[in-house]
Amino acid sequence: MPEKSASHLMLDDAIVAYYDELCAMTRRRGHQAATANEVVHELYVRLVDRRTPLEGKSSLRAFLRRACANLGIDRLRRDRFELKLFSGSEEDALAVASDIAAPDANIDLPRRLTILKRAIMEMSLQRRRVFLASRIGNLTSDEIAMRTGISRNMVDRHLRKAYLHCLDRLEEVL
């Protein structure tokens, strides 16, 4: 077993000395007793893993209290997030958009791309230029307006109509 450093020994002694106080403080801040114990244990593990130097701290007790309070806040935030995340029904969960495409999404991709290309070619030349400048060129409406010499409102109108046209064509076939 590797020999413990002076900082590690100091941390061990401090956690033993202030353990009950840290747990009580964490409970006063809204945690259940078991969770408060977990927060203090997690604090110890994090400090050991990071090999945080404790020798330079003016008050080790104050440092541990602040670190424990911050960790407790993080834990409350995580618990609230998880509660919110898992509180809905199965229908709510299925309604959440996924970053991962459905397994069958790529099967029909070539066909949808062909339909989309055809829909883009059906647009007027100016609408097609505005649409492609926005989608492929990543230009803003203002940049497109400056480059094409039309108003920003007209650019936005072209974009709206282009999107609707593409959606209509895709919906007709799919």
Side-chain angles (χ1 to χ4, degrees):
M1 180 171 212
E3 193 173 315
K4 290 186 176 184
S5 67
S7 185
H8 193 133
L9 292 171
M10 187 184 296
L11 177 62
D12 288 351
D13 292 342
I15 290 292
V16 169
Y18 302 124
Y19 182 81
D20 292 333
E21 179 184 345
L22 293 172
C23 288
M25 180 199 69
T26 307
R27 282 192 307 275
R28 283 192 304 273
R29 292 177 180 256
H31 290 282
Q32 299 294 323
T35 306
N37 293 351
E38 288 176 13
V39 168
V40 176
H41 294 176
E42 185 175 350
L43 172 67
Y44 175 78
V45 169
R46 285 185 178 199
L47 291 175
V48 167
D49 284 349
R50 290 190 183 145
R51 295 184 171 88
T52 305
L54 301 175
E55 289 86 7
K57 306 292 181 198
S58 59
S59 172
L60 187 55
R61 179 176 172 251
F63 170 75
L64 290 174
R65 287 177 58 86
R66 173 56 36 209
C68 193
N70 289 341
L71 200 56
I73 290 168
D74 290 345
R75 178 66 179 258
L76 284 172
R77 286 180 182 154
R78 186 177 70 224
D79 289 348
R80 278 192 212 122
F81 173 74
E82 288 176 357
L83 182 65
K84 185 178 176 183
L85 183 65
F86 299 114
S87 66
S89 65
E90 185 175 349
E91 292 82 26
D92 293 338
L94 292 173
V96 174
S98 173
D99 292 340
I100 302 169
D104 60 343
N106 289 336
I107 294 173
D108 205 24
L109 188 61
R111 182 170 161 244
R112 288 187 292 175
L113 284 174
T114 302
I115 295 165
L116 189 58
K117 287 176 189 174
R118 193 176 313 128
I120 291 170
M121 294 309 295
E122 291 172 355
M123 295 179 200
S124 68
L125 181 60
Q126 189 170 30
R127 183 165 296 154
R128 184 172 46 235
R129 284 182 177 161
V130 168
F131 179 75
L132 293 175
S134 171
R135 297 306 304 154
I136 296 177
N138 291 322
L139 299 177
T140 65
S141 294
D142 290 328
E143 292 170 327
I144 296 170
M146 286 177 54
R147 290 184 183 198
T148 59
I150 60 176
S151 70
R152 180 170 191 253
N153 287 340
M154 187 57 76
V155 169
D156 291 341
R157 185 176 299 147
H158 278 304
L159 287 173
R160 264 193 315 276
K161 288 186 176 187
Y163 285 124
L164 288 173
H165 178 74
C166 290
L167 284 173
D168 286 343
R169 292 299 181 263
L170 286 168
E171 286 178 354
E172 285 174 6
V173 180
L174 303 176

